[in-house]
Amino acid sequence: EYDLSGRYLEVPIGLRFATNKERWSAYARAGIQLQFNLRPGEDHIVLYNYVLKEMRTVRLASSSMGVSGEVAAGVEFRAGKRMAVLVEPVYRLGFTPAVQQSYSSDLPLNPKERSFGLATGLVYHLSVR
């Protein structure tokens, strides 16, 4: 069993292709997310081995950065001149392990992110299309 503690800043880089209709627009987007460790030296993973009755803490590297790819498709329904309602299924796949270290380790596992989500929300457009 393990506990992963961390705060990250994510920087998205990608492309979005959209089709605009009068009351709605559909789009697809793809790109990568760069994930930077915000608390160098404080973030860590705690490993528990209940069979051997031991606990080990491994600190994350101060310069750790993860990279994940993301694909999504969504629809925006206009709710006024500048407002829209968003519905977007998203799939994300990590290209690098979740625990980045500056030294080699014998971690029994080092998972990569794989997630599927559904984003919903309100969008405010600064300019009218």
Side-chain angles (χ1 to χ4, degrees):
E1 188 175 317
Y2 68 94
D3 255 337
L4 180 59
S5 162
R7 289 190 186 165
Y8 293 87
L9 170 67
E10 290 188 341
V11 178
I13 301 172
L15 296 172
R16 176 178 159 154
F17 302 96
T19 62
N20 293 321
K21 303 293 181 188
E22 187 175 325
R23 296 290 302 155
W24 60 277
S25 66
Y27 63 90
R29 63 180 183 83
I32 62 171
Q33 304 279 333
L34 303 176
Q35 303 158 331
F36 298 94
N37 184 354
L38 287 180
R39 298 184 313 176
E42 292 180 36
D43 294 333
H44 59 276
I45 184 170
V46 180
L47 303 166
Y48 303 96
N49 187 329
Y50 294 109
V51 174
L52 299 176
K53 296 183 180 178
E54 71 178 16
M55 179 181 83
R56 190 167 47 137
T57 301
V58 177
R59 300 265 175 225
L60 301 183
S62 61
S63 61
S64 68
M65 181 187 92
V67 179
S68 62
E70 186 172 89
V71 292
V75 179
E76 281 186 19
F77 299 98
R78 297 209 208 329
K81 232 179 186 184
R82 295 180 183 262
M83 295 291 292
V85 177
L86 164 80
V87 178
E88 176 187 276
V90 180
Y91 178 73
R92 187 183 283 190
L93 175 65
F95 300 135
T96 57
V99 179
Q100 300 288 319
Q101 301 175 18
S102 57
Y103 57 89
S104 63
S105 174
D106 58 345
L107 287 177
L109 68 124
N110 198 351
K112 292 183 180 178
E113 178 182 16
R114 274 179 291 219
S115 64
F116 178 78
L118 181 66
T120 60
L122 293 174
V123 178
Y124 181 79
H125 294 278
L126 296 176
S127 64
V128 178
R129 297 179 203 177

